Amino acid sequence: MSYNIRTHSYVVGGLGVTGQACVRFLLDNGASVKAFDTRMLTDAQRDAMALQVDIASSPLSTHYFDGIDTLILSPGLSPDIPEAQLARRAGVEVIGDVELFARINDKPCVGITGSNGKTTVTLLLTHLLNACGVNAIEAGNVGRPVLETLNANADVVVLELSSFQLETTSSLRLQGATILNLSDDHLDRHGSLADYAKAKQRIFMHCDTSIVWRDGNVAPTKALADTIEYGLTETDIGFGLTGSQITFNAEPVLNTRDITLVGTHNILNVMAALGLCHVLGVDVKRAASAVSTFVSAPHRCIEIATRNGVRYIDDSKATNVGATIAAIEGLAPVVSGNIILIAGGDAKGADLSALAPQLIQHVSAVIALGKDRDAFVSLHPATHLVSTMHEAVNAASCIAKEGDVVLLSPACASIDMFSNYIQRADVFARAVMEVVAA
C-alpha cells in the first residue's frame, strides 16, 4: 500500500460502530492511535468496547492534538464540532473512514448515494453482481464499515455513501457512481439544501461514469468520461420504459412484472443498479435475470399483512419527505382504492410542505403522530392526530376499506418516540397483527 499507516499518528473521534472499527483497524496495522467521544462514557461502555487505547471525553485539552497527524471523524459527528476545529488549529488533517479507505484500497469500487433508495440499490447491485459470478461485497452506510473490506476476498466493493461520509472524503476513486435523488434531509446538519447537495456531489470527484436519473434533479456538476441515463420514458439511449419492458439502448432487458419490489420508484432503483452492473462489465440482460430473486431490505415499502382486502405496508425507513413522496408516487398507480398514510415524528428541521401536492392527489387520509404531527394538519384536510402507533393503526383500519392501502411512511425520523426506525416498524407490525387477528 502506498499510504503507510505506521508513519502517521491518529485520533479517532466518535466511538460508535464506525469509530470502533477505525480504532481496531489502526491498531491491527501498527498505528499510533487514541480516541475521544463527545458522550460521557461509563466504565461499562468503555469495557464493552474493549479498545486498547486511551479514550478521552469532551471537552478536550488545548494540547490534545499535539503530535497528531490525522483526526478520523465518525460520520455522526459534524466536521464543525469544537473538537474538529481544535484539531485544524493544531494543523491536524480531518478525514473520515471512507477517505482512509480510499487511500489504501486497491479494489474496484462503485458508489451509491441519494436521499432515498440507496440501501435498496446497494443491496440489489451486490445481489446482481454475485448472481453473475462477480464476488461483490457491500459496505459503508449500509452497515459494514468500509475498512473491514480491505482484507476481504472480493472483486468489487459496492459503497453506500451518506452525505455525512462524503463531506470528509476527497480522494475516493469510483468506476461508477450515482446520486439517486435529492430532497430536504439532514438540514439540521448541513444548513441548506444547497450545502446538502454539495456534499452529495463529492461522490463524482474521482468517478469514471455517472448513472443519472433522466427526469431527476441531480446530475454531476463536473464533466465525467461517461454518463448513463435512466428513466420511466421510452428512449433509444440508456435505460427506458416501453410498456412494461425496461429497455437498455432500446433492447428489452426486463419485464417490470418480474420486479418483486413495490412501486415505480423501485423500477428506477433497478435501472440504476443495472447501469452500475454495465459499468463493471456485467451483461445487463444477465444481471436483469437475477432481479426477481432479490429480497428487499426490511422496512422499505414491504407489505406485512392483508385483511379484508386492505394491505398494510411498512416503509418505516422513509425518514424524510422525499422518501415518502417516492413511496406514494410509486404505490398510487398500482392501488385500486385509497392510500391511508401514517406519518410523523421528528422532521429534523425539514419543510414538510412539499408533501402537500402528493397527499391531496393520492392520499385519502393522514394519521399523524410524533413531535411534528401538527405540521400535517395544514397539508391535508383529513388529518387525524394520535399519540401512539397503536392508535394510528387502529384509526387507519377503521377508515380503510377493500382495495385500500395503509402505508407507514413517516417522512420523519423516529428518535422522538422510538429507538430507531426499526423499532418503529416493529411497533407498527405488532399493531397491525392485532388488527388482523381481531
Side-chain angles (χ1 to χ4, degrees), residues 80-366:
D80 296 325
I81 62 172
E83 294 82 359
Q85 295 177 27
L86 179 64
R88 291 191 190 92
R89 287 197 296 271
V92 174
E93 181 185 34
V94 180
I95 65 173
D97 68 316
V98 176
E99 176 60 23
L100 182 62
F101 163 85
R103 297 177 183 186
I104 301 168
N105 175 62
D106 59 4
K107 297 183 180 71
C109 295
V110 291
I112 298 152
T113 193
S115 299
N116 312 296
K118 53 187 179 290
T119 297
T120 295
V121 175
T122 299
L123 297 177
L124 173 60
L125 175 59
T126 305
H127 168 79
L128 298 181
L129 292 172
N130 282 301
C132 293
V134 178
N135 186 6
I137 186 171
E138 77 282 350
N141 195 58
V142 73
R144 188 197 313 270
V146 293
L147 295 173
E148 292 183 4
T149 70
L150 290 169
N151 297 318
N153 178 25
D155 301 321
V156 173
V157 181
V158 180
L159 296 171
E160 178 188 334
L161 299 169
S162 70
S163 59
F164 297 170
Q165 290 168 316
L166 286 166
E167 65 183 348
T168 54
T169 301
S170 58
S171 63
L172 179 64
R173 301 207 64 87
L174 298 170
Q175 289 189 232
T178 185
I179 303 178
L180 299 171
N181 46 61
L182 199 64
S183 61
D184 283 6
D185 199 13
H186 301 301
L187 300 191
D188 50 348
R189 164 92 165 242
H190 294 293
S192 69
L193 183 59
D195 285 341
Y196 174 52
K198 186 177 179 180
K200 292 286 192 185
Q201 283 284 347
R202 295 175 70 87
I203 200 170
F204 294 125
M205 288 180 70
H206 305 286
C207 171
D208 295 332
T209 303
S210 62
I211 312 298
V212 176
W213 177 19
R214 189 179 301 111
D215 301 316
N217 58 351
V218 184
T221 56
K222 57 171 284 187
L224 299 180
D226 195 15
T227 295
I228 298 173
E229 293 189 348
Y230 64 94
L232 299 177
T233 53
E234 192 169 341
T235 182
D236 292 335
I237 301 175
F239 289 90
L241 192 63
T242 302
S244 63
Q245 288 288 338
I246 292 176
T247 62
F248 181 56
N249 294 337
E251 291 292 324
V253 295
L254 179 66
N255 195 306
T256 56
R257 289 192 291 270
D258 295 327
I259 299 175
T260 56
L261 301 166
V262 176
T264 55
H265 59 302
N266 277 315
I267 296 175
L268 293 169
N269 288 337
V270 168
M271 291 177 176
L274 292 175
L276 289 167
C277 283
H278 178 72
V279 166
L280 292 167
V282 174
D283 180 74
V284 170
K285 285 189 177 181
R286 184 181 178 195
S289 68
V291 169
S292 63
T293 57
F294 174 67
V295 178
S296 177
H299 319 307
R300 293 165 175 85
C301 261
I302 301 297
E303 183 174 329
I304 60 172
T306 301
R307 180 177 184 266
N308 297 331
V310 177
R311 299 162 62 200
Y312 293 84
I313 293 180
D314 168 17
D315 191 37
S316 182
K317 187 64 170 64
T319 57
N320 58 57
V321 169
T324 298
I325 289 174
I328 294 169
E329 289 182 338
L331 286 169
V334 296
V335 174
S336 61
N338 297 312
I339 296 174
I340 299 162
L341 178 69
I342 298 177
D346 185 345
K348 300 174 291 183
D351 181 6
L352 298 176
S353 63
L355 273 171
Q358 301 303 321
L359 296 183
I360 297 299
Q361 183 175 357
H362 299 298
V363 173
S364 63
V366 176

Side-chain angles (χ1 to χ4, degrees), residues 63-83:
H63 299 290
Y64 181 80
F65 287 100
D66 288 355
I68 299 297
D69 299 306
T70 305
L71 166 60
I72 303 176
L73 201 61
S74 295
L77 298 180
S78 168
D80 296 325
I81 62 172
E83 294 82 359

Side-chain angles (χ1 to χ4, degrees), residues 34-48:
K34 60 183 180 179
F36 73 84
D37 200 281
T38 54
R39 301 164 295 175
M40 292 298 295
L41 299 174
T42 66
D43 290 341
Q45 287 174 315
R46 292 168 183 261
D47 291 343

Side-chain angles (χ1 to χ4, degrees), residues 11-44:
V11 167
V12 174
L15 291 174
V17 172
T18 298
Q20 292 180 51
C22 288
V23 169
R24 293 190 178 99
F25 175 82
L26 292 168
L27 289 176
D28 288 346
N29 285 275
S32 170
V33 58
K34 60 183 180 179
F36 73 84
D37 200 281
T38 54
R39 301 164 295 175
M40 292 298 295
L41 299 174
T42 66
D43 290 341

